[in-house]
C-alpha cells in the first residue's frame, strides 16, 4: 500500500484500456445541452453516472433542474466518517453540438476514435474525459488503500455549455448536501501542454449592447447624406472612445485599481507562448505597462464580439436607421461588476454619446469572478503534491482567463477551489475534431491519484496553514 502503487494503478487505467472503455460509453450518449431534443440523453447520462459512482460507494440523488431551460443534475455522496474533511468534485456531462459531418476522416463525434496520441470524440476534452480521469483516480486510491481518508461529494450537471442554468439555485438550496472543505475539479486546458496547471479561479463576464437607434427607417444616402446623422459612424466613435486603437481601455472606471502583489508575483513566473495552432500574440495590444500574463489573468478586457448596421450581406445606398454592437467585459475579483454599466453610461454621456444606449445583456446566470490566493494552503498543498508526482513545478494561476461556474463553489458554498485541467489549447474543444492527448490522460491520472492519496494521507492542505 503506497502512493506509488495508487498512481501506478491509475496510469494502468490509461494504458490498459479501462479509461477508453469508460470514456467510450460516456461519449456515446449525445448530451448536447443546446439541443432540447437531447434532454433525454442528459437524463440517461446522469442515471449512468449515478450507477458508476455507486460502484465507488457513492449514494446518488438525481435532481431535476429548477430552471426549465436546464438539464438534470446528480449529487452523489461518499461518507467515510463524521470527523473527516469533505472534498467536492464537479464535472459536466453535457457537450456542445456534435457537428456531425464536419469532422475530418469521416469521424463520428459520438464514437471514441484513437489515432496516434489523440483520443477523438465530442466531450473527450470538455468534460467527459476530464471527470472520467477524476473518477478513475478516486477508484485507484480506493483500490490501493481501501478508503479515501476523506468524505466526497460529486456534483455532475448537464447545462454547463448553456451557462449552468439552475446551478446557483441548486448550490443555494442544497448547500448542506454540497458543503465541503475544498473543491478539486478538472475542466479546460493546461496553459502549456508539458506542465500541470493549477487554476485557483476564473475571470467573470459581463455582456452588454451599445445601440444607436436614431429613426424608423433608412434614408437615401444621396439625398440625405451630410444632412442627417449616421448611427453607424456614431457607434464606431462611441466604441473608439471606450477603447483605443491599440486595445487600451479608456474608460478607466471599469479597471482594477491595481494587481495585488501576490498575484503579480505568481503571474511573473509565467511566460505566455503561442501554442498549437493558436494565433500569434500581439504584444502591442492591450494595457501598456503590463506583461502579457498580467493582461489576460490579472486585468480587465473589453471586447467587441459583434457589430452591425444596415445589411452587410447586401449593402444599399442608404443611411441605416440603427447600429448596434455586443460588447463583453472579462474582469477579475479586483473590480466590481455592479459598477460597470453606470460607469460606461456616465463615460459615454461625458464624451457626447448621449444618443448611444447601454443595454445590459447579463443575467443572474452569469458567472462571477473568483480567485484563490496563490499562497492559500490548498494551492500550496496541491502544488507540492503535483511536484511529488511529476517532478516538475506546476504553473499556478490565481485565476484562469476564461470562465467557469466557479462562483457557485467559491462564493455560494464559500470553499477554496483548485482546478486541475487535463486538456491543452489545441484540443478543438467546441469545434469538430475535439480530442484529448493520451500522454496528458496518463499523467492526469497519476496527478489526480497523487492528490487524492495525499488528501487522505498527510493531513492535506491543513498542514500548509500558516
Ligand atoms: Zn465547453
Amino acid at each position: 500500500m503506497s502512493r506509488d502503487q495508487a498512481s501506478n494503478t491509475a496510469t494502468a487505467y490509461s494504458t490498459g484500456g479501462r479509461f477508453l472503455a469508460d470514456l467510450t460509453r460516456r461519449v456515446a450518449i449525445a448530451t448536447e445541452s443546446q439541443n432540447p431534443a437531447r434532454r433525454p440523453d442528459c437524463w440517461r447520462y446522469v442515471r449512468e453516472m449515478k450507477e458508476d459512482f455507486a460502484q465507488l460507494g457513492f449514494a446518488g440523488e438525481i435532481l431535476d433542474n429548477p430552471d426549465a431551460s436546464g438539464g438534470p443534475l446528480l449529487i452523489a455522496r461518499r461518507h467515510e466518517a463524521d470527523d473527516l474533511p469533505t472534498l467536492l468534485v464537479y464535472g459536466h456531462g453535457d457537450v456542445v453540438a456534435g457537428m456531425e459531418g464536419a469532422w475530418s476522416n469521416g469521424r463520428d463525434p459520438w464514437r471514441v476514435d484513437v489515432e496516434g496520441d489523440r483520443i477523438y470524440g465530442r466531450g473527450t476534452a470538455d468534460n467527459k474525459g476530464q471527470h472520467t480521469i477524476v473518477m478513475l483516480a478516486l477508484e485507484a486510491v480506493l483500490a490501493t488503500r481501501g478508503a479515501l481518508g476523506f468524505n466526497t461529494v460529486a456534483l455532475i450537471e448537464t447545462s454547463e455549455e448553456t451557462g449552468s442554468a439552475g446551478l446557483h439555485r441548486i448550490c443555494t438550496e442544497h448547500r448542506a448536501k454540497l458543503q465541503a472543505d475544498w473543491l478539486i475539479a478538472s475542466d479546460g486546458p493546461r496553459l502549456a501542454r508539458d506542465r500541470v496547471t493549477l487554476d485557483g479561479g476564473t475571470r467573470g463576464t459581463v455582456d452588454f449592447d451599445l445601440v444607436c437607434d436614431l429613426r424608423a427607417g433608412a434614408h437615401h444616402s444621396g439625398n440625405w447624406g451630410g444632412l442627417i446623422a449616421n448611427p453607424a459612424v456614431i457607434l464606431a466613435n462611441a466604441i473608439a472612445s471606450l477603447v483605443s486603437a491599440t486595445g487600451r481601455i479608456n474608460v478607466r472606471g471599469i479597471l482594477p485599481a491595481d494587481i495585488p502583489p501576490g498575484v503579480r508575483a505568481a503571474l511573473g513566473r509565467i511566460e505566455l507562448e503561442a501554442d498549437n495552432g493558436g494565433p500569434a500574440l500581439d504584444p502591442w495590444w492591450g494595457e501598456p505597462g503590463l506583461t502579457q500574463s498580467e493582461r489576460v489573468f490579472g486585468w480587465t478586457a473589453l471586447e467587441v464580439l459583434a457589430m452591425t448596421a444596415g445589411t452587410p450581406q447586401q449593402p444599399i445606398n442608404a443611411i441605416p436607421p440603427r447600429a448596434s454592437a455586443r460588447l463583453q467585459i472579462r474582469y477579475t475579483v479586483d473590480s466590481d461588476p455592479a459598477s460597470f454599466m453606470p460607469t460606461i453610461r456616465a463615460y459615454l454621456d461625458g464624451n457626447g454619446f448621449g444618443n448611444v444606449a447601454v443595454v445590459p445583456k447579463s443575467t443572474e446566470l452569469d458567472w462571477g469572478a473568483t480567485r484563490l490566493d496563490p499562497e492559500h494552503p490548498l494551492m500550496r498543498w496541491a502544488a507540492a503534491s503535483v511536484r511529488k508526482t511529476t517532478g516538475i513545478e506546476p504553473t499556478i494561476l490565481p485565476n484562469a482567463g476564461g470562465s467557469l461556474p466557479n462562483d457557485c463553489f467559491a462564493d455560494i458554498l464559500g470553499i477554496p477551489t483548485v482546478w486541475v485541467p487535463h486538456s491543452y489549447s489545441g484540443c478543438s474543444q467546441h469545434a469538430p475534431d475535439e480530442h484529448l492527448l493520451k500522454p496528458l490522460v496518463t499523467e492526469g491520472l497519476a496527478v489526480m491519484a497523487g492528490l487524492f492519496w495525499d488528501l487522505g494521507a498527510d493531513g492535506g492542505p491543513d498542514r500548509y496553514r500558516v
Side-chain angles (χ1 to χ4, degrees):
M1 166 177 143
S2 73
R3 190 182 196 273
D4 283 349
Q5 213 176 311
S7 147
N8 290 339
T9 303
T11 53
Y13 290 146
S14 170
T15 49
R18 170 68 193 285
F19 171 80
L20 277 182
D22 285 5
L23 185 60
T24 299
R25 276 190 290 117
R26 290 175 188 149
V27 166
I29 307 174
T31 50
E32 298 168 319
S33 49
Q34 288 114 327
N35 179 356
R38 295 296 200 183
R39 185 64 57 79
D41 297 272
C42 291
W43 277 93
R44 194 178 137 210
Y45 196 84
V46 292
R47 286 194 191 104
E48 291 206 5
M49 289 300 276
K50 184 181 168 192
E51 297 306 311
D52 293 344
F53 272 109
Q55 299 289 316
L56 301 175
F58 285 71
E61 177 190 3
I62 293 172
L63 303 171
D64 200 355
N65 200 305
D67 185 320
S69 71
L73 302 96
L74 170 70
I75 296 178
R77 290 152 53 90
R78 185 178 193 284
H79 187 80
E80 287 193 2
D82 287 342
D83 58 348
L84 288 176
T86 300
L87 170 72
L88 176 63
V89 296
Y90 159 89
H92 67 89
D94 63 311
V95 295
V96 297
M99 304 172 190
E100 293 92 338
W103 293 53
S104 31
N105 301 335
R107 279 188 203 102
D108 176 352
W110 311 115
R111 200 189 58 223
V112 167
D113 194 4
V114 182
E115 222 177 275
D117 269 350
R118 295 182 167 198
I119 303 169
Y120 288 98
R122 175 59 80 226
T124 50
D126 183 17
N127 169 265
K128 293 172 177 176
Q130 303 221 26
H131 58 254
T132 298
I133 290 173
V134 170
M135 291 168 76
L136 287 174
L138 288 169
E139 184 174 328
V141 172
L142 274 170
T144 309
R145 187 152 57 199
L148 293 173
F150 50 87
N151 303 314
T152 315
V153 185
L155 172 63
I156 302 291
E157 65 155 320
T158 57
S159 317
E160 197 267 356
E161 301 293 359
T162 50
S164 292
L167 192 61
H168 287 84
R169 249 177 85 183
I170 290 281
C171 287
T172 305
E173 287 167 13
H174 297 266
R175 189 191 306 264
K177 282 177 207 158
L178 295 168
Q179 206 44 252
D181 295 271
W182 321 283
L183 172 105
I184 299 177
S186 296
D187 197 17
R190 291 178 173 187
L191 194 58
R193 78 156 90 174
D194 55 356
R195 190 181 289 271
V196 173
T197 299
L198 300 174
D199 292 317
T202 50
R203 284 200 295 182
T205 55
V206 166
D207 289 2
F208 63 100
D209 282 354
L210 292 183
V211 183
C212 185
D213 192 349
L214 296 185
R215 48 188 83 85
H219 293 275
H220 193 281
S221 54
N223 299 336
W224 299 97
L227 297 177
I228 61 173
N230 186 319
V233 174
I234 293 173
L235 180 69
N237 279 278
I239 293 170
S241 80
L242 294 172
V243 52
S244 83
T246 57
R248 176 188 185 270
I249 295 173
N250 295 326
V251 49
R252 307 302 282 176
I254 65 168
L255 300 177
D258 204 358
I259 300 174
V263 172
R264 207 177 268 272
L267 297 182
R269 290 188 277 273
I270 295 165
E271 188 87 40
L272 289 189
E273 31 192 290
D275 186 25
N276 305 307
L281 302 179
D282 293 320
W284 51 270
W285 181 262
E287 180 68 16
L290 295 187
T291 66
Q292 292 191 308
S293 53
E294 287 168 349
R295 286 174 181 159
V296 65
F297 303 120
W299 204 247
T300 301
L302 173 60
E303 298 297 341
V304 176
L305 304 182
M307 60 192 294
T308 188
T311 333
Q313 307 80 349
Q314 197 175 17
I316 52 167
N317 290 321
I319 296 160
R322 185 180 192 275
S324 72
R326 170 67 50 87
L327 280 77
Q328 181 177 65
I329 299 172
R330 296 240 180 206
Y331 64 95
T332 69
V333 294
D334 300 317
S335 43
D336 173 15
S339 72
F340 293 164
M341 293 303 102
T343 301
I344 286 172
R345 176 72 271 158
Y347 186 87
L348 290 175
D349 287 342
N351 284 275
F353 295 108
N355 49 9
V356 175
V358 180
V359 185
K361 287 292 163 184
S362 297
T363 68
E364 76 281 8
L365 284 181
D366 282 341
W367 301 333
T370 59
R371 174 187 286 157
L372 188 70
D373 186 321
E375 292 304 314
H376 188 281
L378 178 64
M379 188 58 93
R380 293 176 55 215
W381 164 83
S385 173
V386 170
R387 217 159 37 226
K388 201 166 168 186
T389 303
T390 64
I392 300 174
E393 201 66 44
T395 300
I396 294 176
L397 290 181
N399 55 263
S403 306
L404 281 165
N406 198 44
D407 57 341
C408 292
F409 316 122
D411 296 341
I412 297 176
L413 299 178
I415 58 178
T417 60
V418 165
W419 292 79
V420 193
H422 303 300
S423 187
Y424 77 116
S425 61
C427 70
S428 300
Q429 165 186 8
H430 293 197
D433 296 332
E434 175 180 351
H435 62 277
L436 272 178
L437 294 178
K438 254 195 213 168
L440 267 64
V441 171
T442 308
E443 188 180 60
L445 283 160
V447 163
M448 299 314 284
L451 284 164
F452 298 144
W453 180 272
D454 293 343
L455 202 59
D458 69 356
D462 273 342
R463 276 186 47 206
Y464 289 79
R465 226 170 271 288
V466 280

